[in-house]
Structure formats: structure tokens, C-alpha cells
Amino acid sequence: MCGICGCGQPDGTIKITKVSAEHTHGHDHDHGHGHEHHHHHAHGNGRHHAPHQHHGGSFQPGKTVLQIEQDILGKNNLLAEHNRGFFEAKNILALNLVSSPGSGKTALLERTLTDLKNEFPCYVIEGDQQTSNDASRIAATGAEVVQINTGKGCHLEADMINDALKQLKPADDSLLFIENVGNLVCPAMFDLGEGARVVIISVTEGEDKPVKYPDMFHSSQLCIINKIDLLPYVSFDVEKAKEYARRVSHITEFIELSATTGQGMEQWYEWLRKKVGR
Amino acid sequence: MHELSIIASIVDIAEEQVKKASAQQVDSIELEIGELAGVEWAVLEFAWEVGVQRSVLENTDRYIQRIPGKARCVECGSSFLMKQIFDPCPKCGSYFNEILKGKELRVKALTVS
């Protein structure tokens, strides 16, 4: 069923498009599917019945109790492990880049891809609700890129990555950057099969982002603090931001950089080389 | 609003179970959701009615068992109830904690007929 509105239709709004440098027109067609909302809620759901009845043990004629104990995200996690196995077998370092919109993920990628293109084969999966603008920017660097448009969806899921990989066909010993939908909440819950999760914050945001959105920082292994060239003009306290992040996660590393001026980028490349094992 | 995706996954699980049991409907569903699982309760409540429309869960009674967060301090070893994943250890103030409970996101049981 559709994960957007719960209607019976398949996920018609999710589009996966390979974008090349020559193919940069926007994909703004309206893939909406009409859904009438029948509001007849004469049933018992939607209410939490106060006395918690245990209806597990007693025999009810004609009724079967299925004690399944099934993980709700089990399907996503299983597919994420599929992806992880694929990456391991091909020695691909896959990174899931997460942040709020406007932190500079795409700018960071543009610079990284330009600087590292002679060192590693690089691939990109771009996640956005609409448009292939970001994929076009990435394609201009010469990297292979696939755009996933999630429609109204607020995050990428493992099956989308699985489908995108079939189009992208990344080579062995390469780097794969997955730019998640700009959102510090929803992507936290969905494993894509990445080798590491990288959260990006910029100094134009509040330094308390790590405690405002703890789930994302809790699940990330690297925190990039971007736009440090703007530090003289903003009140962002880098040490305070790190301290907040350490409250949420004790395994997060930090890199301070500016994708615009290039300051600190070498440290990021060193981190990547170390991860790849070179 | 990832809660809608979670509900979609619950619907998938329920539909699979109904098919497997050759049943017609789901009378009730019991979920276990941890306080630290990243689910916004009000959003889940709001999204549920939309998310289960025209599915096997449309007329199903839903029971949610909330599991409180529990952590152990890595520094001093004491266990404590954790409301947020950045809560410090109440005994020694350390943020170096291991989460023991509260990340659950499970369909515990279904009653089908």
C-alpha cells in the first residue's frame, strides 16, 4: 500500500531516476494519485481503551490469537541488511548523509566529488521530495547519480536504495554517498544498510540541535559542522554543540569544515580514506 | 511524519498474518512501543485512522503497551529510568549510558477471525 496516505494504491509517488550531466531537466510532473477520504469511523480504533485488557490467553470461539512478536521495522531492516551485504561484497563504503534542509549537504558533496574523483570511483543517491535539482548539481561534477523523489515521503527507506542500486550499478571499491531527505527526525529510524551515518549541522543553525533531535545524533557516527567560515558572523558555539552531541552519543566524531572555502575538507577526506582502509 | 510509514508496516504485517491464517478480519492488535523509539504518540494517534483505511485493520481495536526507557550507566553501573536519550545518570551525572529498554517497536499479538 501507499506509505504516504495509507490508500490501497502502490507507492506511485516514489520515482527513481538516473540523472546524467546531459539530462538535467526537472522532473516536476505531478504524480499524485487521487484519494478520496471516506471518513466513516464508526469503529473502535483510534481510541486507547483505558483498562488494558489482556486478550491473549482466554479462549474466544472462532477467534485465533497470534502471538507474533514481530519487529515493525523488520522488513526495512532485512532489506537494509541485503544492501549491507551487497556493499560488503563489493567493498563499497556507503554513507548515509542526514541533516536539516539547508545545512549544505549538496555543497559538501559537490566539493568532495570534485576533489576525490581521481582517487575513488564515486556514486551518489539523492533523496528529495521533489525535483532533480540536486542530482543535476551532482551530475555536473561527473559522478554517477540516481535521484529518488519520495513525493510526500519524509525519508529514504532501504527498498528505495535497493531499487536505486539496480540503476546505479556501483563499481567495486567505490564510495557511495546517500543524501537523505533534509529532515532531522524521520530518517533516524530507517537503516539503509549504510556503513556509517554522517549527520551535518551548520553554524547558522542552533547549537542545541543535537538535544532537540537526539535520535538522529544518537544513531550517527560522524558529525560534520559545516559553514565554519561564517563563525565570525553568528553566535554558534562549536564547543557547546559538541558537548550537546556527546550527551546523546558517545561514539560521534566531529569534523569542522567549510564546503565553500575548503577549510577542514582534508580532515574529512582523511576520515573517508581511513574508513575505506587506504 | 514517519509514523505513517510505521503504520503502513503494521498493516503489511497484519495483512500477511490474516492471509497465513486464512482469516477474514483482525479483531484486535497489540503493539509494544518503547518510549525511546522515536514515535510521537499524538502523531501516531492522528495518523492511525488514515493509515488503516481500507486495510484489514480498519475496524480493529488497537492496544498499545508503552515500554518505559531504561538505561545503565557505563561509568558507575547504576540502572535508571530514561525519559530522553540524553538523560544523564541520576547518580553520577554521566551521559555515558547504555540503553537497555525503550527502543521496542513490535507487533506483539493479533486476534483474527
Side-chain angles (χ1 to χ4, degrees):
Chain A
M1 72 177 234
C2 168
I4 313 305
C5 59
C7 72
Q9 297 194 31
D11 281 324
T13 48
I14 295 168
K15 284 190 296 137
I16 299 178
T17 322
K18 185 129 193 270
V19 178
S20 61
E22 304 82 53
H23 174 96
T24 54
H25 61 271
H27 284 269
D28 297 325
H29 342 290
D30 182 14
H31 280 253
H33 44 266
H35 24 85
E36 310 146 50
H37 289 278
H38 302 282
H39 286 285
H40 45 87
H41 295 298
H43 48 75
N45 75 40
R47 281 185 290 273
H48 190 96
H49 299 258
H52 185 83
Q53 303 166 356
H54 265 282
H55 33 94
S58 60
F59 176 76
Q60 296 160 290
K63 293 187 193 296
T64 314
V65 179
L66 307 167
Q67 298 280 355
I68 59 170
E69 301 269 351
Q70 204 168 322
D71 187 350
I72 292 170
L73 296 178
K75 203 170 146 200
N76 184 73
N77 292 342
L78 189 66
L79 265 167
E81 289 304 331
H82 272 263
N83 295 345
R84 192 164 279 123
F86 172 82
F87 296 140
E88 275 177 20
K90 292 178 71 69
N91 193 32
I92 295 169
L93 173 63
L95 300 173
N96 183 4
L97 307 182
V98 293
S99 81
S100 41
S103 68
K105 286 191 298 296
T106 312
L108 175 73
L109 272 183
E110 281 177 304
R111 183 148 199 148
T112 305
L113 296 166
T114 307
D115 289 350
L116 294 186
K117 67 177 163 199
N118 296 324
E119 203 172 328
F120 303 101
C122 293
Y123 298 85
V124 179
I125 295 174
E126 275 290 334
D128 286 294
Q129 287 199 325
Q130 297 294 343
T131 83
S132 54
N133 294 352
D134 281 2
S136 302
R137 282 170 63 184
I138 297 300
T141 69
E144 301 249 13
V145 55
V146 163
Q147 175 79 51
I148 301 175
N149 284 131
T150 58
K152 297 282 179 290
C154 49
H155 58 269
L156 294 176
E157 294 188 20
D159 62 335
M160 301 176 197
I161 301 302
N162 205 282
D163 289 341
L165 287 170
K166 286 169 192 155
Q167 287 195 38
L168 196 57
K169 299 186 180 73
D172 291 359
D173 308 307
S174 60
L175 281 179
L176 171 67
F177 298 97
I178 302 165
E179 187 181 331
N180 217 314
V181 179
N183 178 341
L184 272 178
V185 185
C186 309
M189 205 174 260
F190 298 88
D191 185 9
L192 305 179
E194 68 266 23
R197 191 173 287 186
V198 179
V199 61
I200 296 142
I201 51 171
S202 58
V203 304
T204 51
E205 303 169 48
E207 65 246 333
D208 57 352
K209 277 272 163 85
V211 284
K212 273 189 179 158
Y213 303 96
D215 294 301
M216 191 61 91
F217 286 82
H218 182 74
S219 61
S220 296
Q221 288 81 49
L222 174 67
C223 174
I224 290 182
I225 301 174
N226 190 19
K227 307 189 190 176
I228 56 164
D229 53 310
L230 299 179
L231 275 174
Y233 315 106
V234 293
S235 61
F236 189 90
D237 183 338
V238 175
E239 288 314 310
K240 192 81 195 152
K242 287 184 184 176
E243 198 249 314
Y244 280 133
R246 281 195 200 99
R247 287 189 195 182
V248 181
S249 168
H250 33 81
I251 51 166
T252 305
E253 296 175 71
F254 300 92
I255 296 175
E256 297 156 42
L257 55 78
S258 164
T260 308
T261 65
Q263 191 187 346
M265 290 297 284
E266 194 46 44
Q267 211 188 331
W268 158 236
Y269 301 150
E270 272 310 309
W271 187 89
L272 289 171
R273 288 183 194 111
K274 207 172 87 193
K275 273 274 167 200
V276 176
R278 286 194 199 172
Chain B
M1 193 160 87
H2 56 285
E3 283 78 4
L4 211 38
S5 298
I6 290 169
I7 294 164
S9 301
I10 297 170
V11 169
D12 284 346
I13 291 170
E15 277 175 352
E16 200 186 305
Q17 292 297 329
V18 164
K19 213 170 145 194
K20 240 196 241 172
S22 305
Q24 302 300 316
Q25 59 181 50
V26 182
D27 300 300
S28 65
I29 186 164
E30 201 175 331
L31 311 174
E32 279 184 330
I33 302 180
E35 302 268 6
L36 306 174
V39 171
E40 202 54 61
W41 303 101
V43 179
L44 185 74
E45 193 76 32
F46 168 77
W48 184 267
E49 295 203 2
V50 184
V52 299
Q53 269 179 22
R54 280 164 279 172
S55 79
V56 290
L57 295 181
E58 185 160 12
N59 298 304
T60 302
D61 285 332
R62 185 199 66 204
Y63 303 92
I64 299 180
Q65 200 180 329
R66 287 198 195 187
I67 302 177
K70 205 180 152 195
R72 182 170 46 219
C73 174
V74 178
E75 304 281 0
C76 76
S78 58
S79 295
F80 60 96
L81 280 179
M82 191 178 235
K83 287 210 155 59
Q84 299 276 5
I85 55 178
F86 51 83
D87 282 349
C89 167
K91 225 172 180 181
C92 74
S94 168
Y95 290 102
F96 196 12
N97 301 308
E98 182 193 353
I99 297 170
L100 304 174
K101 267 192 178 148
K103 296 287 259 179
E104 296 80 0
L105 212 49
R106 265 198 302 264
V107 178
K108 190 160 188 265
L110 298 160
T111 308
V112 298
S113 58

